[in-house]
Amino acid sequence: MTENTGPVFTRTVTQERIAAYAEASGDHNPVHLDADFAATTRFGGTIAHGMILFGYMSEALSQVYGAAWAGTGRMRARFRAPARPGDVVEVSAEERSRQPRDDGTIDVHCIVECWKAEPRERLATGDATLTVKEQ
Amino acid sequence: MTSSAPEPNARAGLETLHPGQEFTPTPLDLSREAVVGLLDSIEATLPRDENGVEIVPPSVMASLSLGVLLQHVSLPLGSLHASQEIRVLSPIPVGARALCEAVVANVSNRAGLTLVSLDFNVESYPDEAGGSRQLATGAGTVMFPAGTE
């Protein structure tokens, strides 16, 4: 591990943010937006889009690695549990390895995660790689 | 691919989905308004490269590509996103013109759930010589209770 590790930020999930994401993405699935419909599902209420958690993890990598993440990033993410309005989500990025390449750049491997703060529960995990310039 | 924006297919029902099924290449809206709208909704910022050029982050490419699925496929109410992958192959400036090609990778049933996996490929619009450049690839899987339509 390097200095690029640990909690990056927290976000509070709100119904307003979920609605904003739905509007921006075009994903109007009622399980995210319609409280009456969502109450009939196994979740018992609305939940955030998985892509909101994906966005949090991407933003964590962007904050740590800047444009290198935007320009060379790759991430595989699994959505493990839903985030609900009111949840405080902790987003962490942990650098696992650095692999120098022949062209002088370095491949970086990270694990990023979203955890619900209370009660503690892992919501999403991401396995990410990117390429940075040698410093 | 052609240089004009193709018309989307009519939305397919789940009963018609099958592995290998391709959807019409669909334009991605990489305008600043669209990109910032997505980023604002998750309290994220628009990255810039060392020259100050605004770059579309991977999460936005994934969201927009997933949106292609929603344009082409009518999913049951309450469908959930199980997993997502994105790989950016070169920096994509805000405002770039791109097309997303999507194909059904797999349809399966497991533990009472139907899972639909989609692969996608994003390319730049063809230039005057007809050449295009691959910008990103990815995949997504959605799931819903088996038997729902």
Side-chain angles (χ1 to χ4, degrees):
Chain A
M1 294 192 295
T2 74
E3 68 277 10
N4 297 321
T5 186
V8 180
F9 56 74
T10 63
R11 293 282 187 268
T12 300
V13 176
T14 68
Q15 191 60 52
E16 290 73 23
R17 291 286 181 190
I18 294 171
Y21 180 82
E23 190 63 29
S25 68
D27 183 350
H28 298 285
N29 185 332
V31 77
H32 306 304
L33 300 170
D34 184 333
D36 291 336
F37 172 81
T40 68
T41 70
R42 63 191 172 105
F43 303 111
T46 58
I47 60 172
H49 302 74
M51 288 305 291
I52 291 179
L53 301 178
F54 193 95
Y56 290 167
M57 293 191 289
S58 177
E59 173 66 4
L61 293 164
S62 187
Q63 289 190 14
V64 174
Y65 297 103
W69 165 246
T72 69
R74 176 178 189 173
M75 180 161 67
R76 292 178 179 168
R78 286 188 62 193
F79 306 113
R80 298 175 178 276
R84 303 166 189 272
D87 285 350
V88 175
V89 179
E90 299 172 354
V91 187
S92 65
E94 180 178 307
E95 188 175 305
R96 291 290 178 87
S97 68
R98 287 189 167 226
Q99 185 68 43
R101 293 160 51 124
D102 291 342
D103 63 3
T105 60
I106 301 170
D107 286 337
V108 179
H109 175 221
C110 298
I111 298 296
V112 284
E113 294 185 326
C114 290
W115 285 79
K116 183 166 71 175
E118 186 66 37
R120 194 141 179 86
E121 181 180 23
R122 188 166 58 175
L123 303 177
T125 56
D127 187 290
T129 57
L130 68 150
T131 303
V132 299
K133 294 177 181 173
E134 195 169 24
Q135 295 179 344
Chain B
M1 272 191 257
T2 64
S3 58
S4 60
E7 292 294 325
N9 289 337
R11 293 175 84 198
L14 289 172
E15 70 282 358
T16 68
L17 294 183
H18 55 85
Q21 182 175 351
E22 297 180 358
F23 300 108
T24 306
T26 304
L28 293 184
D29 183 1
L30 299 177
S31 67
R32 192 173 196 282
E33 180 183 11
V35 173
V36 170
L38 278 164
L39 292 174
D40 281 351
S41 72
I42 59 166
E43 302 173 82
T45 54
L46 183 56
R48 295 172 183 268
D49 69 11
E50 60 270 26
N51 298 314
V53 176
E54 295 172 332
I55 304 297
V56 181
S59 60
V60 170
M61 293 304 298
S63 287
L64 294 174
S65 298
L66 182 66
V68 170
L69 170 67
L70 299 176
Q71 290 181 43
H72 289 296
V73 180
S74 179
L75 294 175
L77 299 178
S79 299
L80 291 176
H81 202 169
S83 65
Q84 182 69 40
E85 179 176 355
I86 182 72
R87 181 183 186 189
V88 175
L89 299 170
S90 66
I92 304 167
V94 170
R97 299 182 71 213
L99 288 172
C100 180
E101 298 173 315
V103 59
V104 178
N106 195 29
V107 180
S108 63
N109 290 288
R110 189 170 64 202
L113 295 171
T114 296
L115 291 91
V116 177
S117 298
L118 183 86
D119 290 341
F120 61 86
N121 179 53
V122 180
E123 294 188 351
S124 62
Y125 263 63
D127 57 24
E128 291 181 357
S132 60
R133 193 162 52 95
Q134 193 176 30
L135 302 175
T137 63
T141 299
V142 295
M143 61 183 182
F144 42 86
T148 55
E149 295 294 335

